[in-house]
Amino acid sequence: MASLTKKVISGRAYYYLRETAWVEGRSKVVRTKYLGRVEDIERRLEQTADPKAVVVRSFGAVAAALKIARELELADAIDRALGGARGSPSVGEMIALAAINRACRPRSKRQLGDWHGRTALARLMPCPAKTLSSQRFWDAMHVLGDEAIAKAETEIVRRAVDTYQIELRPLIYDTTNFATFIDSANARNTIAQRGHPKGGRRDLRLIGLALCVALDANVPLCHQPYEGNRNDATQFPDAIALIRARLSELGLSAEQLAQLTLVYDKGNNSKTNQPLADELGLQVVGSLQPSKHPELLDVDLEEFHELEGIPGTLACRTTMEVYGKERTIVVSRSERFAQKQRRSFSQTLSKAHRELDELRGVVERGKHRMDERALTERIGEILRRRWLKDVIEVEHDLAAQTLTYRTDADAIERVASREWGKRIIFTGRHEWSDEEIIAAYRAQSKGEGAFRQDKDREFVGYSPAFHWTDQKLKVHGFYCTLALMVVSLIERQTRHASIEQEGHPLGTKLAMRLLNEIDEVTLIYPPSGGGRGRPRVRTRLAQMDDTQRELYKTLGLSALAPSGPFRS
């Protein structure tokens, strides 16, 4: 019960607000608040209710990322790998902050301090601005070597698997590369090399990245940066060694390994690579190059059967020796995949027609320096793409200045009937059904979501990487992989909670956008009574929509929130 109490001191009246309650059978004063003199109370009542200042900071995404980072003990794991915390903030805290930034809104190291001050991390993870300078980050990155990265990643992955009960079946392995802005004359860098860009930038040096992820939300188990001019097959042995070490460090027994399946694409195939994969102790699912197995492409469609569990897909099963072992072979044909290849080939065909038309114009005008050999090479370059030589016939006579070509529509249909929509899948899982084998192989496309997220400039964003040495680029790859893990675990929780918007699952990008739009608002009022005391500060969450409230509840963000959300 509250009451107003008057005290007279030296002939002047002062007022207090007292609150009483029953404590152990008797009434006791449990709270007293000084209100001041009558004129103080009158001044306070007459004062405007408008705050002196309003500060808005992003809360949702950084709070969700920080909560996961703390659960996985990112900072502590990194510090332990270095032999203990160093400085304040420690190296682990700096790298964890970089990972949170990459997960929520990638910024350069120079902008990181400013970004930190504009988010709820200023309250949840306070750091003086001078400690978040780009130089401090570079100093923190400098002490993190290959051994410490591997040790910290192992501990973090183990905790993620245990804490979130990550299902390790199947494991997806794949590679990609990222463009950098490293000068061609920079000899200190050996990782960034010119190679075949998967993002289209042929003018830039590339860094390769190998990832092994658990299909369960694409949580990365290990990563490996490598030279950008290496192809998938030459990188595969190093990656297999890393996967073997990581699975061993996770403490999986031989029986548990035997239950796992590693899925990878045909770019990793070779006679030396496959035995390395077999030595892992787990089963593999891969695919074979169709052009190297014409006998399997020539199997009549009447020998295929429909798969009840996978509509629109036919399958034919056999066994054959693949890389020294008897393996189950499933030739699948997907109508959807066939239509996709038809559309793609139509674009390829149109491009070839344009190039041949241009070449015909050059030949007919006669203003060139080509001989028959050079012309033949130009035609071969135009028709180098798959299936073009099977469907386009070119005739030319350089002396007569003529070049003609014809596209055989019947040949296109023969190619479509024989090859389009087909995949040749192999595995040692002889006990699996056709549906299980095909589903496992197709899981690879879902696993590629990890690379799509890594290339997303809005969330995670490996690029651009403004670092110039091998060591810094490896640290950059490390905290980008941690960011991918954080974002993947956020998406996993929202998916398990079946959070939707307009009847569709949120997905990673929409979930992170909605979280980024959950703000906390700090209202700063003048000191009580108009004096010189401290200003009064009130921090609350801004109003959320229904989907944001579901995210807030599912991700357990109340523990990191200020007093509570504003009410409408």
Side-chain angles (χ1 to χ4, degrees), residues 502-515:
E502 298 179 357
H504 300 285
L506 287 185
T508 304
K509 180 168 281 192
L510 183 54
M512 293 301 295
R513 282 178 178 171
L514 290 172
L515 285 168

Side-chain angles (χ1 to χ4, degrees), residues 357-372:
D357 287 338
E358 292 174 3
L359 183 60
R360 178 171 57 190
V362 171
V363 171
E364 290 176 349
R365 287 191 296 271
K367 296 182 178 181
H368 58 80
R369 297 182 179 180
M370 291 185 294
D371 55 16
E372 286 289 343

Side-chain angles (χ1 to χ4, degrees), residues 138 141 178-195 201-208 225-229 457 462-477:
W138 278 71
M141 294 173 70
F178 300 90
T180 71
F181 297 95
I182 297 173
D183 190 273
S184 298
N186 185 343
R188 294 183 300 165
N189 192 291
T190 61
I191 294 181
Q193 301 287 341
R194 279 186 167 75
R201 291 298 301 266
R202 296 181 179 275
D203 57 322
L204 299 176
R205 292 169 69 173
L206 307 173
I207 300 173
Y226 62 93
E227 294 84 352
N229 58 355
R457 293 292 185 94
Y462 187 99
S463 296
F466 293 108
H467 301 289
W468 322 116
T469 64
D470 291 350
Q471 188 267 337
K472 294 294 190 301
L473 286 167
K474 289 178 180 179
V475 177
H476 178 80

Side-chain angles (χ1 to χ4, degrees), residues 166-341:
I166 303 298
E167 173 59 63
L168 297 180
R169 293 178 293 180
L171 301 177
I172 311 296
Y173 169 79
D174 209 345
T175 62
T176 191
N177 53 41
F178 300 90
T180 71
F181 297 95
I182 297 173
D183 190 273
S184 298
N186 185 343
R188 294 183 300 165
N189 192 291
T190 61
I191 294 181
Q193 301 287 341
R194 279 186 167 75
H196 179 69
K198 298 184 180 181
R201 291 298 301 266
R202 296 181 179 275
D203 57 322
L204 299 176
R205 292 169 69 173
L206 307 173
I207 300 173
L209 181 69
L211 270 182
C212 181
V213 303
L215 186 60
D216 188 356
N218 288 336
V219 174
L221 300 185
C222 56
H223 80 287
Q224 191 172 59
Y226 62 93
E227 294 84 352
N229 58 355
R230 296 181 68 179
N231 61 38
D232 292 353
T234 57
Q235 173 58 27
F236 194 67
D238 291 343
I240 286 296
L242 178 61
I243 294 170
R244 179 189 293 112
R246 185 54 44 84
L247 294 176
S248 174
E249 289 159 351
L250 291 177
L252 298 178
S253 66
E255 291 155 353
Q256 290 173 314
L257 285 174
Q259 296 176 8
L260 301 183
T261 304
L262 179 67
V263 183
Y264 52 87
D265 67 19
K266 54 184 172 291
N268 301 291
N269 291 349
S270 76
K271 292 181 179 180
T272 56
N273 283 350
Q274 191 55 49
L276 295 176
D278 293 334
E279 289 174 9
L280 279 178
L282 44 79
Q283 291 293 344
V284 299
V285 174
S287 65
L288 301 174
Q289 191 73 33
S291 59
K292 294 182 179 179
H293 298 275
E295 74 282 4
L296 294 176
L297 292 177
D298 290 334
V299 175
D300 196 288
L301 281 180
E302 292 182 358
E303 298 187 34
F304 285 68
H305 61 275
E306 292 188 15
L307 300 178
E308 294 182 4
I310 311 179
T313 299
L314 305 176
C316 177
R317 187 184 185 113
T318 185
T319 59
M320 61 181 286
E321 185 176 306
V322 177
Y323 300 119
K325 277 192 175 184
E326 189 75 10
R327 305 183 195 270
T328 292
I329 304 294
V330 175
V331 182
S332 68
R333 187 187 185 281
S334 164
E335 183 59 33
R336 183 177 178 182
F337 183 37
Q339 293 302 321
K340 181 179 178 181
Q341 287 184 303

Side-chain angles (χ1 to χ4, degrees), residues 46-99:
E46 290 176 350
Q47 279 181 345
T48 175
D50 292 340
K52 180 180 178 181
V54 178
V55 179
V56 180
R57 293 189 176 98
S58 177
F59 167 79
V62 295
L66 178 62
K67 183 173 182 291
I68 290 175
R70 287 176 174 174
E71 289 172 347
L72 300 182
E73 298 182 18
L74 296 190
D76 292 339
I78 294 168
D79 287 334
R80 280 192 288 269
L82 292 170
R86 309 178 185 183
S88 180
S90 68
V91 172
E93 289 170 333
M94 298 285 267
I95 300 301
L97 180 60

Side-chain angles (χ1 to χ4, degrees), residues 336-350:
R336 183 177 178 182
F337 183 37
Q339 293 302 321
K340 181 179 178 181
Q341 287 184 303
R342 183 179 289 276
R343 291 192 297 270
S344 177
F345 183 69
S346 176
Q347 295 173 352
T348 300
L349 192 61
S350 297

